[in-house]
Amino acid sequence: MDIIVAENAGFCFGVKRALEIVAGAAQSGVRPVYTLGPLIHNPQEIARLEAQGIHPVESLAQVASGAVVLSAHGVDPGVEEEARAHGLEVIDATCPFVRRAHAHIRTLSDQGYTVVILGDPGHREVEGLAARSGRKAEIVTGKEEAERLPFCDQYGLVVQTTQRPETLREVAGALAERCRELRVFNTICEATIGRQESARQLAEQVDVMLVVGGRNSANTARLREICAATGAPTHHIETADELEPAWFQGAHRVGVTAGASTPEWIIAEVVARLRELADRAAPR
Ligand code: F3S
């Protein structure tokens, strides 16, 4: 059984940068260090950070002193102000690509556009984006919801960085028919596009596809959708322990991809376990 790992898989630029920023804060002696929500959407990596004294909290109410890290997904600016008002040190690990989307939303709002965000409602990045519109943005998950929006003079569309380009095209098409003027900012990040394209190409060539990443990770969920859409039997796992030998019966080629918040050590464990399964299945 051949095991092929996608060309672009695992940690993206923004996640690596966020982890370096946090490691730098912990090494410089800042104590305690908290992250608002998980720094990245990977439970195993979060557990590793906790062992180093970096703790995720759900709200500022849980933090009495020390430093608060704003995750790569960004936060509501009100939260940042509140942290400073409480005398906490704020360490900003927001990905520059998310910051770019914030700036576009502010511009659109200032210019009187009704902002539409294509994204997953409730996701931290989308909450942060919506906050930049003064919470006036419409959040849609796809074409059907965009088609239900009222007719309007000016719509401005901005996208969660991890969405699919196909969905963006569909939503933009639906909005174009519901307004006189439409401005579209394609804020899907390069890392997302690269991972999605490699995953699609690999899924088309293999008998079974594995997508490795947190179940709470939006970009991992997109990779699973893309791989499954090629027709390849696709399994989403967080760790090697979830692998089931029955998935690979009769398979000659197995593809592996991983979300932007999946660390290299988890991908390596999955590949090693797959090799063990392949060795056991090989004729002696
Ligand atoms: Fe940034 Fe894109 Fe990663 S927005 S955090 S580089 S998935």
Side-chain angles (χ1 to χ4, degrees):
M1 187 167 83
D2 291 336
I3 300 153
I4 309 164
V5 178
E7 196 182 333
N8 294 299
F11 277 177
C12 62
F13 152 79
V15 166
K16 279 188 201 152
R17 180 177 170 275
L19 289 168
E20 281 165 16
I21 289 173
V22 172
Q27 278 164 16
S28 70
V30 179
R31 285 286 185 281
V33 178
Y34 298 96
T35 64
L36 270 181
L39 183 66
I40 56 173
H41 283 156
N42 187 278
Q44 293 72 28
E45 187 65 12
I46 294 303
R48 195 185 66 80
L49 290 172
E50 281 229 59
Q52 295 175 12
I54 299 157
H55 310 286
V57 289
E58 278 312 308
S59 83
L60 289 175
Q62 295 167 263
V63 182
S65 62
V68 173
V69 181
L70 312 182
S71 79
H73 304 107
V75 296
D76 184 325
V79 174
E80 188 175 341
E81 279 165 29
E82 196 186 331
R84 291 190 200 282
H86 280 79
L88 301 172
E89 183 179 341
V90 173
I91 300 170
D92 189 0
T94 307
C95 178
F97 295 120
V98 176
R99 285 246 170 260
R100 186 177 60 180
H102 290 169
H104 288 317
I105 290 183
R106 278 204 210 90
T107 304
L108 288 168
S109 298
D110 291 349
Q111 294 178 353
Y113 286 81
T114 299
V115 176
V116 179
I117 298 169
L118 165 60
D120 300 325
H123 188 284
R124 253 173 215 273
E125 180 188 336
V126 177
E127 292 288 307
L129 294 176
R132 266 75 190 181
S133 71
R135 301 232 161 259
K136 290 185 187 143
E138 301 282 352
I139 300 171
V140 299
T141 59
K143 180 171 152 238
E144 291 72 23
E145 289 172 25
E147 283 170 347
R148 288 200 285 271
L149 291 176
F151 194 88
C152 160
D153 262 1
Q154 295 176 304
Y155 273 127
L157 177 61
V158 176
V159 199
Q160 183 182 9
T161 52
T162 50
Q163 290 288 319
R164 299 172 61 179
E166 296 88 329
T167 317
L168 168 60
R169 279 196 289 276
E170 289 172 5
V171 168
L175 288 181
E177 293 180 12
R178 312 205 66 69
C179 63
R180 292 183 210 291
E181 185 191 339
L182 173 66
R183 280 192 83 183
V184 180
F185 286 106
N186 180 353
T187 44
I188 300 173
C189 81
E190 297 291 322
T192 296
I193 292 169
R195 269 157 194 68
Q196 291 183 353
E197 207 34 55
S198 314
R200 186 192 334 268
Q201 284 172 10
L202 183 54
E204 282 167 355
Q205 299 166 25
V206 297
D207 304 308
V208 179
M209 194 69 199
L210 292 176
V211 181
V212 188
R215 293 208 163 72
N216 56 352
S217 157
N219 76 84
T220 307
R222 297 286 103 74
L223 291 177
R224 189 201 56 226
E225 288 166 14
I226 286 165
C227 294
T230 66
T234 300
H235 304 280
H236 178 180
I237 56 170
E238 281 192 351
T239 68
D241 291 342
E242 295 169 44
L243 288 172
E244 291 190 20
W247 294 344
F248 310 103
Q249 267 172 18
H252 298 292
R253 285 157 75 85
V254 175
V256 179
T257 189
S261 45
T262 308
E264 184 56 44
W265 61 269
I266 292 185
I267 302 172
E269 278 181 8
V270 169
V271 171
R273 196 72 61 85
L274 280 172
R275 290 222 169 90
E276 281 171 28
L277 290 173
D279 288 348
R280 259 186 256 153
R284 291 173 193 274

